[in-house]
Amino acid sequence: MTHDAGPADLVFTGGHVHTVDPARPRAEAVAVRGERIVAVGSAPEVGDLIGPRTRVVDLAGRLLLPGFQDVHLHPIFAGVDRLQCDLREARGRAEVLAVIRSYVAAHPDDEWIIGSGWYMADFENGTPRREDIDAIVADRPAFFPNRDGHSTWVNSKALELAGIDRDTPDPDDGRIERDPDGTPTGTLHEGAAHQVERLMPEVTAGLMADGLRLAQAYLHSLGITAWQDAIVRPEDQAIYRAAAEAGWLTARVEGAMWWERSRGDDQVDELIERSRSGSIGRLRLNSVKLMQDGVLETFTGAMIDPYLGRDGSPTANRGISFIDPERLPGWVTRLDGAGLQPHFHAIGDRAVRECLDAVEAARAANGHTDTRPHIAHIQVIHPDDVPRFAALDVTANAQPYWACHEAQMDSLTIPFLGPERSAWQYPYRSLLSAGARLAMGSDWSVSTPNPLLEIEVAVTRVADESRGLREPFLPEQALTLAEAVAAFTTGSAYVNHLDADTGTIDVGKLADLAVVDRDLFASDAGPIGDGRVLGTFVGGAPVFEDAALG
């Protein structure tokens, strides 16, 4: 507690403070002076710092937490998605088509119809067809990535413009969904969509900036004070830099620069220069995103053993390693040696192993650097690889909202993995028990960025929309509430190299804080995901306030 400099600027009192500091996990009040916390303690202790100009926030029995940090999401993409034909709230084929029909009617002059967010489980075999869009718009090309961005639905006009027909071969990093005679159906997986995407009009800088403004406001309303953008291309970097220079980037942002898998280590020098020149204000670019595989639902996630067919027998398909696993260790070693953080996408157990092997090579060559590598998604981890996370000091970057029974899991994943491998999915408890560090993110716009909904699934292994309707998914892998909150605060702050200043409520740390409308730890708090953030503060300044905060 610091009294020397006079009264506090801001005091939170009258509620519950969960500090995420094991030495003092709970308190009653917090005082802030300038950007930093100057007192954490009882209401009478902190009350001594209240002066005539101090703003006092009466928590009224509510909960104060460190601000959440989402360590894997796509804010610019997500914001732009909301400004185009957004299908994320539509469920069922008929509703999806109705949204598209309405958007097309409202945009008669658009050269392309562009949107995203459809759900694979809403279509037979997870693959919608071109004819459905053709019936709505046949004279203009249409392009709709699904909510995870790994499959894209297009109409016949788009296929025609791209020259994709029954004789077009699949690219090395993707697959064209086809009818038995080879005719493309209208669903393009992974890199196959690039043949259409390269023809599309560029997203303007103005639209990207609008998307970031919208996304930032929404994320702040959920208590998020910092994040790691998992794909930052040069054009995204320019938008972030402009926002930082203009002073409206209020979040703390770590950018993961995109590793172009069609290139090699010739891009490393470019990434080093982008990192050097790209860090300004609350923006830093010290991470590099390496996408190692696809997703299980399209059989592009890289697996050690083959996927099963519909009859339950093994196929010849083991998925795709997008980056050559023989060259990945050398490239990761060079990135690590340059001080750049490897941020991997790995869904299948083979992809996870290839990423761990690459970090192991970097550790052997460079020693233990402070780049803090992390592997995102970690859907299937072979049991032999679980202890390697702690041994190599690789953070497990979890997207907990996916760890539950839902249509995509039950219809498009479990049948093609079989019972043994299905039980290896999202092993959060096993990772923690083996000494691994856990961080959390949403992969928004793939799924909700609401940390309270994500934390609920981490704790219950049941989706909020399935409460009381479905059994928990592998409940032995569930976390406690305290563990899940820590992953979304201290764990993510560590990955973002912000742990010295954020992630816990401690004297001397930055006042990045979130007020929740109830004490989530109380026995009568109700479902975690029903909680609502009422206020978000970054460096002691409010970036979101609900009228109910008072």
Side-chain angles (χ1 to χ4, degrees), residues 53 96 133 147 170 223 270 284 297 310 326 417 467:
R53 297 183 181 179
V96 169
I133 311 180
R147 63 183 58 200
D170 289 343
E270 296 173 21
R284 295 190 297 188
E297 296 84 3
R310 296 192 178 280
E326 297 298 319
L417 291 181
R467 295 170 188 155

Side-chain angles (χ1 to χ4, degrees), residues 145-158:
N146 70 346
R147 63 183 58 200
D148 65 23
H150 291 269
S151 297
T152 300
W153 180 21
V154 299
N155 64 355
S156 295
K157 186 67 173 179

Side-chain angles (χ1 to χ4, degrees), residues 401 405 450 452-454 456-457 460-471 518 526-531:
Y401 199 68
H405 282 294
N450 184 338
L452 298 180
L453 287 173
E454 298 168 73
E456 178 177 334
V457 178
T460 67
R461 306 284 287 202
V462 176
D464 53 294
E465 60 188 23
S466 301
R467 295 170 188 155
L469 301 175
R470 292 179 183 262
E471 292 296 314
R518 67 197 71 187
I528 299 165
D530 285 356

Side-chain angles (χ1 to χ4, degrees), residues 329-351:
W331 292 337
V332 169
T333 296
R334 187 166 176 205
L335 291 172
D336 178 72
L340 295 176
Q341 176 188 78
H343 176 164
F344 300 97
H345 161 118
I347 292 280
D349 57 359
R350 188 175 88 241

Side-chain angles (χ1 to χ4, degrees), residues 197-403:
E197 191 172 18
R198 62 185 174 82
L199 304 174
M200 294 167 52
E202 288 189 10
V203 180
T204 67
L207 181 59
M208 293 172 67
D210 289 345
L212 178 57
R213 284 183 184 274
L214 186 156
Q216 179 174 250
Y218 181 50
L219 293 169
H220 282 332
S221 77
L222 300 173
I224 294 170
T225 56
W227 65 71
Q228 183 161 152
D229 189 322
I231 300 179
V232 176
R233 306 160 299 175
E235 54 267 38
D236 305 305
Q237 180 175 340
I239 299 301
Y240 274 121
R241 184 177 180 87
E245 289 175 337
W248 61 264
L249 184 66
T250 48
R252 306 187 197 280
V253 178
E254 175 66 66
M257 299 173 288
W258 179 247
W259 178 270
E260 296 182 33
R261 56 188 182 242
S262 61
R263 299 174 61 189
D265 62 359
D266 59 304
Q267 63 192 294
V268 174
D269 288 339
E270 296 173 21
L271 295 171
I272 293 171
E273 174 56 26
R274 284 181 59 196
S275 174
R276 186 196 65 78
S277 62
S279 300
I280 177 174
R282 290 177 176 173
L283 171 66
R284 295 190 297 188
L285 281 86
N286 297 316
S287 187
V288 177
K289 170 70 173 295
L290 302 114
M291 181 169 284
Q292 189 57 18
D293 68 344
V295 293
L296 302 185
E297 296 84 3
T298 62
F299 313 114
T300 54
M303 300 298 297
I304 295 170
D305 295 316
Y307 288 94
L308 305 181
R310 296 192 178 280
D311 62 356
S313 60
T315 67
N317 183 15
R318 297 169 58 244
I320 304 173
S321 293
F322 289 146
I323 302 174
D324 182 351
E326 297 298 319
R327 305 186 72 183
L328 181 66
W331 292 337
V332 169
T333 296
R334 187 166 176 205
L335 291 172
D336 178 72
L340 295 176
Q341 176 188 78
H343 176 164
F344 300 97
H345 161 118
I347 292 280
D349 57 359
R350 188 175 88 241
V352 172
R353 180 169 291 178
E354 289 166 352
C355 296
L356 290 169
D357 289 347
V359 174
E360 186 170 37
R363 297 290 193 221
N366 302 331
H368 194 288
T369 65
D370 192 37
T371 59
R372 307 185 185 186
H374 53 120
I375 303 178
H377 310 323
I378 50 170
Q379 182 166 353
V380 182
I381 305 177
H382 192 285
D384 291 349
D385 290 319
V386 169
R388 299 180 69 198
F389 281 81
L392 295 169
D393 194 17
V394 174
T395 300
N397 179 342
Q399 284 61 61
Y401 199 68
W402 305 345

Side-chain angles (χ1 to χ4, degrees), residues 444-531:
W444 186 54
S445 60
V446 174
S447 51
T448 178
N450 184 338
L452 298 180
L453 287 173
E454 298 168 73
I455 288 170
E456 178 177 334
V457 178
V459 172
T460 67
R461 306 284 287 202
V462 176
D464 53 294
E465 60 188 23
S466 301
R467 295 170 188 155
L469 301 175
R470 292 179 183 262
E471 292 296 314
F473 178 67
L474 304 175
E476 66 276 10
Q477 295 296 343
L479 301 176
T480 67
L481 175 57
E483 288 167 340
V485 169
F488 248 118
T489 52
T490 55
S492 294
Y494 176 86
V495 168
N496 285 335
H497 286 87
L498 291 171
D499 53 312
D501 285 318
T502 70
T504 62
I505 299 177
D506 283 313
V507 171
K509 287 202 169 182
L510 290 164
D512 291 5
L513 305 165
V515 179
V516 181
D517 69 350
R518 67 197 71 187
D519 181 3
L520 299 172
F521 294 86
S523 59
D524 60 350
I528 299 165
D530 285 356

